[in-house]
Amino acid sequence: MLPKILITGGAGFIGKKLALKLSVGNEIHILDNLNPQIHGINPDISWMKECGIRFHFGDINDIATI
């Protein structure tokens, strides 16, 4: 069983770099709300699936999501 790591805001520039580094030997989960002001209208998150990273859409301010 691989260690699980949750990266909040992981779809951004720094989060992506971190997720890719940690994806070897770990089960990575990314939680991001894909805010259009930061990620644009149609963000490309296909790299996550290609690397076996699991994406969860949500906001860290939402207790039910966490």
Side-chain angles (χ1 to χ4, degrees):
M1 179 180 255
L2 296 175
K4 295 179 182 180
I5 298 173
L6 172 65
I7 302 172
T8 58
F13 179 78
I14 295 171
K16 178 179 180 179
K17 300 289 185 188
L18 179 63
L20 292 173
K21 287 279 186 185
L22 294 175
S23 66
V24 177
N26 296 296
E27 182 180 317
I28 305 297
H29 294 260
I30 288 179
L31 174 66
D32 202 303
N33 66 1
L34 299 177
N35 185 324
Q37 187 175 7
I38 297 166
H39 298 282
I41 300 298
N42 192 15
D44 178 20
I45 58 171
S46 62
W47 61 270
M48 292 181 206
K49 191 170 190 174
E50 294 168 3
C51 298
I53 296 170
R54 296 180 182 162
F55 178 75
H56 307 275
F57 180 80
D59 193 308
I60 61 169
N61 294 313
D62 181 13
I63 299 297
T65 300
I66 299 299

Short mmCIF file of all heavy atoms in Angstrom, two decimals:
data_model
loop_
_atom_site.label_atom_id
_atom_site.label_comp_id
_atom_site.label_asym_id
_atom_site.label_seq_id
_atom_site.Cartn_x
_atom_site.Cartn_y
_atom_site.Cartn_z
N MET A 1 0.85 -1.19 0.00
CA MET A 1 0.00 0.00 0.00
C MET A 1 0.89 1.25 0.00
O MET A 1 1.77 1.38 0.84
CB MET A 1 -0.92 -0.02 1.22
CG MET A 1 -1.80 1.18 1.31
SD MET A 1 -2.87 1.14 2.75
CE MET A 1 -4.38 0.73 1.95
N LEU A 2 0.63 2.12 -0.95
CA LEU A 2 1.42 3.34 -1.07
C LEU A 2 0.95 4.40 -0.08
O LEU A 2 -0.25 4.51 0.20
CB LEU A 2 1.30 3.91 -2.49
CG LEU A 2 1.85 3.05 -3.62
CD1 LEU A 2 1.52 3.70 -4.97
CD2 LEU A 2 3.33 2.86 -3.48
N PRO A 3 1.87 5.22 0.43
CA PRO A 3 1.47 6.34 1.26
C PRO A 3 0.61 7.32 0.44
O PRO A 3 0.87 7.54 -0.73
CB PRO A 3 2.79 7.00 1.65
CG PRO A 3 3.84 5.98 1.42
CD PRO A 3 3.32 5.10 0.32
N LYS A 4 -0.41 7.89 1.08
CA LYS A 4 -1.30 8.84 0.41
C LYS A 4 -0.92 10.26 0.80
O LYS A 4 -0.67 10.55 1.96
CB LYS A 4 -2.76 8.59 0.81
CG LYS A 4 -3.28 7.25 0.35
CD LYS A 4 -4.71 7.05 0.78
CE LYS A 4 -5.18 5.68 0.34
NZ LYS A 4 -6.57 5.44 0.75
N ILE A 5 -0.91 11.13 -0.21
CA ILE A 5 -0.58 12.54 0.00
C ILE A 5 -1.66 13.39 -0.66
O ILE A 5 -2.00 13.17 -1.83
CB ILE A 5 0.80 12.89 -0.60
CG1 ILE A 5 1.89 12.07 0.09
CG2 ILE A 5 1.07 14.38 -0.48
CD1 ILE A 5 3.27 12.23 -0.54
N LEU A 6 -2.19 14.36 0.08
CA LEU A 6 -3.16 15.31 -0.45
C LEU A 6 -2.46 16.64 -0.64
O LEU A 6 -1.85 17.18 0.29
CB LEU A 6 -4.35 15.48 0.50
CG LEU A 6 -5.33 16.59 0.15
CD1 LEU A 6 -6.04 16.29 -1.17
CD2 LEU A 6 -6.34 16.80 1.27
N ILE A 7 -2.56 17.18 -1.86
CA ILE A 7 -2.00 18.49 -2.16
C ILE A 7 -3.16 19.42 -2.48
O ILE A 7 -3.88 19.21 -3.45
CB ILE A 7 -1.02 18.44 -3.35
CG1 ILE A 7 0.11 17.45 -3.04
CG2 ILE A 7 -0.48 19.82 -3.66
CD1 ILE A 7 1.02 17.18 -4.22
N THR A 8 -3.35 20.43 -1.63
CA THR A 8 -4.41 21.40 -1.89
C THR A 8 -3.87 22.47 -2.83
O THR A 8 -2.72 22.88 -2.71
CB THR A 8 -4.92 22.04 -0.58
OG1 THR A 8 -3.83 22.66 0.09
CG2 THR A 8 -5.53 20.99 0.33
N GLY A 9 -4.69 22.88 -3.78
CA GLY A 9 -4.24 23.84 -4.78
C GLY A 9 -3.22 23.22 -5.72
O GLY A 9 -2.41 23.90 -6.31
N GLY A 10 -3.29 21.92 -5.87
CA GLY A 10 -2.28 21.18 -6.62
C GLY A 10 -2.33 21.34 -8.12
O GLY A 10 -1.44 20.87 -8.80
N ALA A 11 -3.34 21.99 -8.66
CA ALA A 11 -3.42 22.17 -10.11
C ALA A 11 -2.63 23.39 -10.58
O ALA A 11 -2.46 23.59 -11.78
CB ALA A 11 -4.88 22.29 -10.56
N GLY A 12 -2.13 24.18 -9.66
CA GLY A 12 -1.35 25.36 -10.01
C GLY A 12 0.09 25.01 -10.34
O GLY A 12 0.51 23.85 -10.30
N PHE A 13 0.88 26.01 -10.64
CA PHE A 13 2.26 25.83 -11.07
C PHE A 13 3.10 25.10 -10.02
O PHE A 13 3.74 24.08 -10.32
CB PHE A 13 2.89 27.20 -11.38
CG PHE A 13 4.32 27.11 -11.82
CD1 PHE A 13 4.62 26.71 -13.11
CD2 PHE A 13 5.34 27.41 -10.96
CE1 PHE A 13 5.95 26.62 -13.53
CE2 PHE A 13 6.67 27.32 -11.36
CZ PHE A 13 6.97 26.93 -12.64
N ILE A 14 3.11 25.59 -8.81
CA ILE A 14 3.91 24.97 -7.75
C ILE A 14 3.34 23.61 -7.36
O ILE A 14 4.09 22.64 -7.18
CB ILE A 14 4.02 25.90 -6.52
CG1 ILE A 14 4.80 27.16 -6.91
CG2 ILE A 14 4.69 25.19 -5.35
CD1 ILE A 14 4.79 28.25 -5.87
N GLY A 15 2.03 23.52 -7.26
CA GLY A 15 1.39 22.25 -6.90
C GLY A 15 1.68 21.16 -7.91
O GLY A 15 1.90 20.00 -7.55
N LYS A 16 1.69 21.53 -9.18
CA LYS A 16 1.98 20.55 -10.24
C LYS A 16 3.40 20.02 -10.09
O LYS A 16 3.64 18.82 -10.15
CB LYS A 16 1.81 21.19 -11.62
CG LYS A 16 2.14 20.24 -12.76
CD LYS A 16 1.94 20.90 -14.11
CE LYS A 16 2.29 19.94 -15.25
NZ LYS A 16 2.07 20.56 -16.57
N LYS A 17 4.35 20.90 -9.89
CA LYS A 17 5.75 20.49 -9.72
C LYS A 17 5.90 19.57 -8.51
O LYS A 17 6.58 18.55 -8.58
CB LYS A 17 6.66 21.71 -9.57
CG LYS A 17 6.64 22.66 -10.73
CD LYS A 17 7.33 22.07 -11.93
CE LYS A 17 7.41 23.12 -13.04
NZ LYS A 17 7.87 22.58 -14.28
N LEU A 18 5.24 19.93 -7.43
CA LEU A 18 5.30 19.12 -6.21
C LEU A 18 4.66 17.75 -6.44
O LEU A 18 5.24 16.72 -6.06
CB LEU A 18 4.59 19.85 -5.07
CG LEU A 18 4.54 19.13 -3.73
CD1 LEU A 18 5.94 18.92 -3.18
CD2 LEU A 18 3.69 19.94 -2.75
N ALA A 19 3.50 17.73 -7.06
CA ALA A 19 2.80 16.47 -7.31
C ALA A 19 3.61 15.54 -8.18
O ALA A 19 3.68 14.33 -7.92
CB ALA A 19 1.44 16.76 -7.96
N LEU A 20 4.23 16.07 -9.21
CA LEU A 20 5.03 15.24 -10.10
C LEU A 20 6.24 14.65 -9.37
O LEU A 20 6.59 13.48 -9.57
CB LEU A 20 5.47 16.03 -11.33
CG LEU A 20 4.35 16.41 -12.29
CD1 LEU A 20 4.87 17.35 -13.38
CD2 LEU A 20 3.71 15.18 -12.89
N LYS A 21 6.88 15.44 -8.51
CA LYS A 21 8.03 14.95 -7.75
C LYS A 21 7.61 13.86 -6.77
O LYS A 21 8.32 12.87 -6.59
CB LYS A 21 8.70 16.09 -6.97
CG LYS A 21 9.47 17.04 -7.81
CD LYS A 21 10.83 16.48 -8.13
CE LYS A 21 11.65 17.53 -8.85
NZ LYS A 21 12.92 17.01 -9.28
N LEU A 22 6.46 14.05 -6.12
CA LEU A 22 6.02 13.11 -5.09
C LEU A 22 5.28 11.90 -5.65
O LEU A 22 5.02 10.95 -4.92
CB LEU A 22 5.11 13.83 -4.08
CG LEU A 22 5.78 14.91 -3.24
CD1 LEU A 22 4.74 15.62 -2.38
CD2 LEU A 22 6.88 14.33 -2.38
N SER A 23 4.95 11.93 -6.94
CA SER A 23 4.13 10.85 -7.50
C SER A 23 4.85 9.51 -7.57
O SER A 23 4.21 8.46 -7.65
CB SER A 23 3.61 11.24 -8.89
OG SER A 23 4.67 11.35 -9.81
N VAL A 24 6.16 9.52 -7.52
CA VAL A 24 6.92 8.27 -7.53
C VAL A 24 6.90 7.68 -6.13
O VAL A 24 7.41 8.27 -5.18
CB VAL A 24 8.37 8.51 -8.00
CG1 VAL A 24 9.17 7.22 -7.94
CG2 VAL A 24 8.40 9.11 -9.39
N GLY A 25 6.25 6.54 -5.99
CA GLY A 25 6.21 5.85 -4.71
C GLY A 25 5.14 6.33 -3.75
O GLY A 25 5.14 5.94 -2.58
N ASN A 26 4.24 7.19 -4.21
CA ASN A 26 3.17 7.70 -3.37
C ASN A 26 1.86 7.75 -4.16
O ASN A 26 1.87 7.85 -5.39
CB ASN A 26 3.48 9.12 -2.88
CG ASN A 26 4.69 9.17 -1.99
OD1 ASN A 26 4.71 8.60 -0.91
ND2 ASN A 26 5.73 9.84 -2.45
N GLU A 27 0.76 7.71 -3.45
CA GLU A 27 -0.56 7.91 -4.06
C GLU A 27 -0.93 9.37 -3.85
O GLU A 27 -1.17 9.80 -2.72
CB GLU A 27 -1.59 6.99 -3.40
CG GLU A 27 -2.96 7.09 -4.00
CD GLU A 27 -3.96 6.16 -3.33
OE1 GLU A 27 -3.61 5.00 -3.04
OE2 GLU A 27 -5.08 6.63 -3.05
N ILE A 28 -0.97 10.12 -4.94
CA ILE A 28 -1.20 11.57 -4.87
C ILE A 28 -2.66 11.90 -5.17
O ILE A 28 -3.23 11.42 -6.14
CB ILE A 28 -0.29 12.32 -5.85
CG1 ILE A 28 1.18 11.97 -5.62
CG2 ILE A 28 -0.52 13.82 -5.77
CD1 ILE A 28 1.72 12.37 -4.27
N HIS A 29 -3.23 12.76 -4.32
CA HIS A 29 -4.57 13.30 -4.52
C HIS A 29 -4.43 14.82 -4.54
O HIS A 29 -3.75 15.40 -3.69
CB HIS A 29 -5.51 12.89 -3.37
CG HIS A 29 -5.76 11.43 -3.33
ND1 HIS A 29 -6.91 10.88 -3.83
CD2 HIS A 29 -5.01 10.40 -2.86
CE1 HIS A 29 -6.87 9.57 -3.66
NE2 HIS A 29 -5.72 9.25 -3.07
N ILE A 30 -5.07 15.44 -5.52
CA ILE A 30 -5.05 16.90 -5.63
C ILE A 30 -6.46 17.43 -5.42
O ILE A 30 -7.41 16.93 -6.03
CB ILE A 30 -4.50 17.35 -7.00
CG1 ILE A 30 -3.00 17.08 -7.06
CG2 ILE A 30 -4.82 18.81 -7.26
CD1 ILE A 30 -2.36 17.46 -8.37
N LEU A 31 -6.57 18.42 -4.55
CA LEU A 31 -7.84 19.11 -4.32
C LEU A 31 -7.66 20.54 -4.80
O LEU A 31 -6.75 21.25 -4.35
CB LEU A 31 -8.20 19.10 -2.83
CG LEU A 31 -9.42 19.92 -2.43
CD1 LEU A 31 -10.69 19.31 -3.03
CD2 LEU A 31 -9.54 20.00 -0.92
N ASP A 32 -8.51 20.96 -5.75
CA ASP A 32 -8.40 22.31 -6.29
C ASP A 32 -9.78 22.75 -6.76
O ASP A 32 -10.56 21.92 -7.23
CB ASP A 32 -7.41 22.33 -7.47
CG ASP A 32 -6.85 23.71 -7.73
OD1 ASP A 32 -7.65 24.65 -7.97
OD2 ASP A 32 -5.62 23.86 -7.73
N ASN A 33 -10.06 24.03 -6.66
CA ASN A 33 -11.35 24.54 -7.13
C ASN A 33 -11.26 25.11 -8.55
O ASN A 33 -12.25 25.58 -9.10
CB ASN A 33 -11.91 25.60 -6.17
CG ASN A 33 -11.08 26.85 -6.10
OD1 ASN A 33 -10.07 26.99 -6.77
ND2 ASN A 33 -11.49 27.79 -5.27
N LEU A 34 -10.09 25.03 -9.15
CA LEU A 34 -9.86 25.49 -10.53
C LEU A 34 -10.43 26.88 -10.80
O LEU A 34 -11.09 27.13 -11.81
CB LEU A 34 -10.42 24.48 -11.54
CG LEU A 34 -9.81 23.08 -11.49
CD1 LEU A 34 -10.50 22.16 -12.49
CD2 LEU A 34 -8.32 23.11 -11.73
N ASN A 35 -10.15 27.78 -9.91
CA ASN A 35 -10.61 29.16 -10.04
C ASN A 35 -10.20 29.73 -11.40
O ASN A 35 -9.02 29.76 -11.73
CB ASN A 35 -10.00 29.99 -8.91
CG ASN A 35 -10.51 31.41 -8.88
OD1 ASN A 35 -10.75 32.02 -9.90
ND2 ASN A 35 -10.66 31.93 -7.69
N PRO A 36 -11.18 30.19 -12.22
CA PRO A 36 -10.87 30.70 -13.56
C PRO A 36 -9.90 31.89 -13.55
O PRO A 36 -9.17 32.09 -14.51
CB PRO A 36 -12.22 31.12 -14.12
CG PRO A 36 -13.24 30.42 -13.29
CD PRO A 36 -12.61 30.18 -11.95
N GLN A 37 -9.89 32.65 -12.47
CA GLN A 37 -8.98 33.79 -12.38
C GLN A 37 -7.52 33.31 -12.35
O GLN A 37 -6.63 34.00 -12.83
CB GLN A 37 -9.28 34.61 -11.13
CG GLN A 37 -8.51 35.89 -11.03
CD GLN A 37 -8.92 36.73 -9.85
OE1 GLN A 37 -9.70 36.30 -9.01
NE2 GLN A 37 -8.41 37.93 -9.77
N ILE A 38 -7.29 32.12 -11.84
CA ILE A 38 -5.94 31.57 -11.74
C ILE A 38 -5.65 30.61 -12.89
O ILE A 38 -4.59 30.66 -13.50
CB ILE A 38 -5.77 30.84 -10.39
CG1 ILE A 38 -5.92 31.84 -9.26
CG2 ILE A 38 -4.42 30.12 -10.33
CD1 ILE A 38 -6.09 31.22 -7.90
N HIS A 39 -6.61 29.73 -13.19
CA HIS A 39 -6.38 28.65 -14.15
C HIS A 39 -6.93 28.91 -15.55
O HIS A 39 -6.73 28.09 -16.43
CB HIS A 39 -7.00 27.35 -13.62
CG HIS A 39 -6.41 26.90 -12.33
ND1 HIS A 39 -5.19 26.27 -12.25
CD2 HIS A 39 -6.85 27.00 -11.05
CE1 HIS A 39 -4.91 26.00 -11.01
NE2 HIS A 39 -5.89 26.44 -10.25
N GLY A 40 -7.63 30.00 -15.74
CA GLY A 40 -8.24 30.28 -17.04
C GLY A 40 -9.59 29.58 -17.16
O GLY A 40 -10.04 28.88 -16.26
N ILE A 41 -10.22 29.75 -18.31
CA ILE A 41 -11.57 29.23 -18.53
C ILE A 41 -11.60 27.71 -18.65
O ILE A 41 -12.46 27.04 -18.11
CB ILE A 41 -12.19 29.86 -19.81
CG1 ILE A 41 -12.28 31.37 -19.67
CG2 ILE A 41 -13.56 29.27 -20.10
CD1 ILE A 41 -13.17 31.86 -18.54
N ASN A 42 -10.65 27.13 -19.36
CA ASN A 42 -10.66 25.69 -19.60
C ASN A 42 -9.28 25.10 -19.23
O ASN A 42 -8.47 24.82 -20.11
CB ASN A 42 -10.98 25.42 -21.08
CG ASN A 42 -11.29 23.97 -21.34
OD1 ASN A 42 -11.53 23.20 -20.43
ND2 ASN A 42 -11.27 23.60 -22.60
N PRO A 43 -9.02 24.90 -17.94
CA PRO A 43 -7.69 24.42 -17.53
C PRO A 43 -7.41 23.00 -17.99
O PRO A 43 -8.30 22.16 -18.04
CB PRO A 43 -7.75 24.50 -16.00
CG PRO A 43 -9.19 24.43 -15.67
CD PRO A 43 -9.93 25.05 -16.81
N ASP A 44 -6.17 22.75 -18.35
CA ASP A 44 -5.75 21.41 -18.78
C ASP A 44 -5.21 20.65 -17.56
O ASP A 44 -4.14 20.99 -17.04
CB ASP A 44 -4.67 21.51 -19.85
CG ASP A 44 -4.17 20.15 -20.30
OD1 ASP A 44 -4.88 19.15 -20.08
OD2 ASP A 44 -3.06 20.10 -20.87
N ILE A 45 -5.96 19.67 -17.13
CA ILE A 45 -5.51 18.84 -16.01
C ILE A 45 -5.27 17.40 -16.46
O ILE A 45 -5.18 16.50 -15.63
CB ILE A 45 -6.50 18.90 -14.82
CG1 ILE A 45 -7.89 18.44 -15.23
CG2 ILE A 45 -6.55 20.30 -14.22
CD1 ILE A 45 -8.85 18.28 -14.08
N SER A 46 -5.12 17.21 -17.76
CA SER A 46 -4.90 15.86 -18.29
C SER A 46 -3.60 15.24 -17.79
O SER A 46 -3.49 14.02 -17.70
CB SER A 46 -4.92 15.88 -19.81
OG SER A 46 -3.88 16.69 -20.31
N TRP A 47 -2.62 16.06 -17.45
CA TRP A 47 -1.34 15.56 -16.95
C TRP A 47 -1.51 14.73 -15.68
O TRP A 47 -0.73 13.81 -15.44
CB TRP A 47 -0.37 16.72 -16.71
CG TRP A 47 -0.83 17.70 -15.68
CD1 TRP A 47 -1.58 18.82 -15.92
CD2 TRP A 47 -0.59 17.66 -14.28
NE1 TRP A 47 -1.82 19.48 -14.74
CE2 TRP A 47 -1.22 18.79 -13.71
CE3 TRP A 47 0.08 16.79 -13.44
CZ2 TRP A 47 -1.19 19.07 -12.36
CZ3 TRP A 47 0.12 17.07 -12.08
CH2 TRP A 47 -0.51 18.20 -11.55
N MET A 48 -2.56 15.02 -14.90
CA MET A 48 -2.78 14.28 -13.66
C MET A 48 -3.10 12.82 -13.94
O MET A 48 -2.53 11.92 -13.34
CB MET A 48 -3.90 14.91 -12.85
CG MET A 48 -3.57 16.26 -12.31
SD MET A 48 -4.95 16.89 -11.36
CE MET A 48 -4.67 18.63 -11.52
N LYS A 49 -4.02 12.61 -14.87
CA LYS A 49 -4.43 11.24 -15.20
C LYS A 49 -3.26 10.47 -15.79
O LYS A 49 -3.07 9.29 -15.50
CB LYS A 49 -5.61 11.26 -16.16
CG LYS A 49 -6.25 9.93 -16.35
CD LYS A 49 -7.55 10.03 -17.12
CE LYS A 49 -8.29 8.71 -17.08
NZ LYS A 49 -9.60 8.79 -17.68
N GLU A 50 -2.47 11.13 -16.62
CA GLU A 50 -1.32 10.49 -17.25
C GLU A 50 -0.30 10.02 -16.22
O GLU A 50 0.42 9.05 -16.45
CB GLU A 50 -0.66 11.46 -18.23
CG GLU A 50 -1.53 11.81 -19.42
CD GLU A 50 -1.00 12.98 -20.22
OE1 GLU A 50 0.08 13.51 -19.89
OE2 GLU A 50 -1.69 13.37 -21.18
N CYS A 51 -0.24 10.71 -15.08
CA CYS A 51 0.73 10.37 -14.02
C CYS A 51 0.10 9.55 -12.91
O CYS A 51 0.76 9.28 -11.90
CB CYS A 51 1.31 11.65 -13.44
SG CYS A 51 2.23 12.63 -14.63
N GLY A 52 -1.16 9.19 -13.04
CA GLY A 52 -1.83 8.41 -12.01
C GLY A 52 -2.22 9.21 -10.78
O GLY A 52 -2.43 8.67 -9.70
N ILE A 53 -2.32 10.52 -10.95
CA ILE A 53 -2.70 11.41 -9.86
C ILE A 53 -4.21 11.58 -9.87
O ILE A 53 -4.80 11.79 -10.92
CB ILE A 53 -1.98 12.77 -9.99
CG1 ILE A 53 -0.46 12.55 -9.87
CG2 ILE A 53 -2.48 13.77 -8.98
CD1 ILE A 53 0.37 13.77 -10.22
N ARG A 54 -4.82 11.51 -8.70
CA ARG A 54 -6.28 11.62 -8.61
C ARG A 54 -6.67 13.06 -8.30
O ARG A 54 -6.16 13.66 -7.36
CB ARG A 54 -6.80 10.68 -7.53
CG ARG A 54 -6.53 9.25 -7.89
CD ARG A 54 -7.03 8.32 -6.84
NE ARG A 54 -6.70 6.95 -7.22
CZ ARG A 54 -6.69 5.95 -6.39
NH1 ARG A 54 -7.01 6.10 -5.13
NH2 ARG A 54 -6.37 4.74 -6.81
N PHE A 55 -7.60 13.57 -9.10
CA PHE A 55 -8.07 14.95 -8.94
C PHE A 55 -9.42 14.97 -8.25
O PHE A 55 -10.31 14.19 -8.58
CB PHE A 55 -8.18 15.64 -10.31
CG PHE A 55 -8.70 17.04 -10.20
CD1 PHE A 55 -7.90 18.05 -9.74
CD2 PHE A 55 -10.01 17.33 -10.54
CE1 PHE A 55 -8.38 19.35 -9.64
CE2 PHE A 55 -10.50 18.62 -10.44
CZ PHE A 55 -9.68 19.63 -9.98
N HIS A 56 -9.56 15.90 -7.31
CA HIS A 56 -10.83 16.11 -6.60
C HIS A 56 -11.16 17.60 -6.71
O HIS A 56 -10.36 18.44 -6.30
CB HIS A 56 -10.72 15.71 -5.13
CG HIS A 56 -10.20 14.32 -4.94
ND1 HIS A 56 -11.02 13.22 -4.98
CD2 HIS A 56 -8.95 13.86 -4.74
CE1 HIS A 56 -10.29 12.13 -4.79
NE2 HIS A 56 -9.03 12.50 -4.64
N PHE A 57 -12.32 17.90 -7.30
CA PHE A 57 -12.74 19.29 -7.43
C PHE A 57 -13.39 19.73 -6.12
O PHE A 57 -14.30 19.07 -5.62
CB PHE A 57 -13.75 19.45 -8.58
CG PHE A 57 -14.21 20.86 -8.75
CD1 PHE A 57 -13.44 21.78 -9.43
CD2 PHE A 57 -15.42 21.28 -8.22
CE1 PHE A 57 -13.86 23.09 -9.58
CE2 PHE A 57 -15.85 22.58 -8.37
CZ PHE A 57 -15.07 23.49 -9.05
N GLY A 58 -12.92 20.82 -5.57
CA GLY A 58 -13.52 21.33 -4.34
C GLY A 58 -12.69 22.46 -3.75
O GLY A 58 -11.62 22.80 -4.25
N ASP A 59 -13.21 23.00 -2.68
CA ASP A 59 -12.61 24.14 -1.99
C ASP A 59 -12.24 23.72 -0.57
O ASP A 59 -13.04 23.08 0.11
CB ASP A 59 -13.61 25.31 -1.96
CG ASP A 59 -12.97 26.60 -1.56
OD1 ASP A 59 -12.29 26.64 -0.51
OD2 ASP A 59 -13.15 27.60 -2.29
N ILE A 60 -11.06 24.10 -0.11
CA ILE A 60 -10.64 23.72 1.24
C ILE A 60 -11.48 24.41 2.32
O ILE A 60 -11.45 24.00 3.47
CB ILE A 60 -9.14 24.00 1.50
CG1 ILE A 60 -8.82 25.48 1.36
CG2 ILE A 60 -8.29 23.17 0.58
CD1 ILE A 60 -7.45 25.85 1.85
N ASN A 61 -12.24 25.43 1.94
CA ASN A 61 -13.12 26.09 2.89
C ASN A 61 -14.42 25.32 3.14
O ASN A 61 -15.18 25.68 4.03
CB ASN A 61 -13.46 27.51 2.42
CG ASN A 61 -12.24 28.39 2.43
OD1 ASN A 61 -11.50 28.42 3.39
ND2 ASN A 61 -12.02 29.10 1.33
N ASP A 62 -14.67 24.30 2.34
CA ASP A 62 -15.87 23.48 2.47
C ASP A 62 -15.56 22.25 3.34
O ASP A 62 -14.87 21.33 2.89
CB ASP A 62 -16.36 23.05 1.10
CG ASP A 62 -17.62 22.21 1.14
OD1 ASP A 62 -18.27 22.15 2.20
OD2 ASP A 62 -17.95 21.60 0.11
N ILE A 63 -16.02 22.26 4.56
CA ILE A 63 -15.73 21.19 5.52
C ILE A 63 -16.16 19.82 4.99
O ILE A 63 -15.46 18.84 5.17
CB ILE A 63 -16.41 21.48 6.89
CG1 ILE A 63 -15.88 22.77 7.48
CG2 ILE A 63 -16.21 20.32 7.84
CD1 ILE A 63 -14.39 22.75 7.80
N ALA A 64 -17.31 19.75 4.32
CA ALA A 64 -17.79 18.47 3.80
C ALA A 64 -16.82 17.89 2.76
O ALA A 64 -16.65 16.68 2.67
CB ALA A 64 -19.17 18.63 3.19
N THR A 65 -16.19 18.75 1.98
CA THR A 65 -15.23 18.30 0.98
C THR A 65 -13.99 17.72 1.64
O THR A 65 -13.49 16.69 1.24
CB THR A 65 -14.82 19.46 0.05
OG1 THR A 65 -15.97 19.95 -0.60
CG2 THR A 65 -13.80 19.03 -0.97
N ILE A 66 -13.52 18.38 2.66
CA ILE A 66 -12.33 17.92 3.37
C ILE A 66 -12.65 16.63 4.10
O ILE A 66 -11.91 15.69 4.08
CB ILE A 66 -11.81 18.98 4.36
CG1 ILE A 66 -11.43 20.26 3.63
CG2 ILE A 66 -10.64 18.48 5.17
CD1 ILE A 66 -10.33 20.13 2.61
#
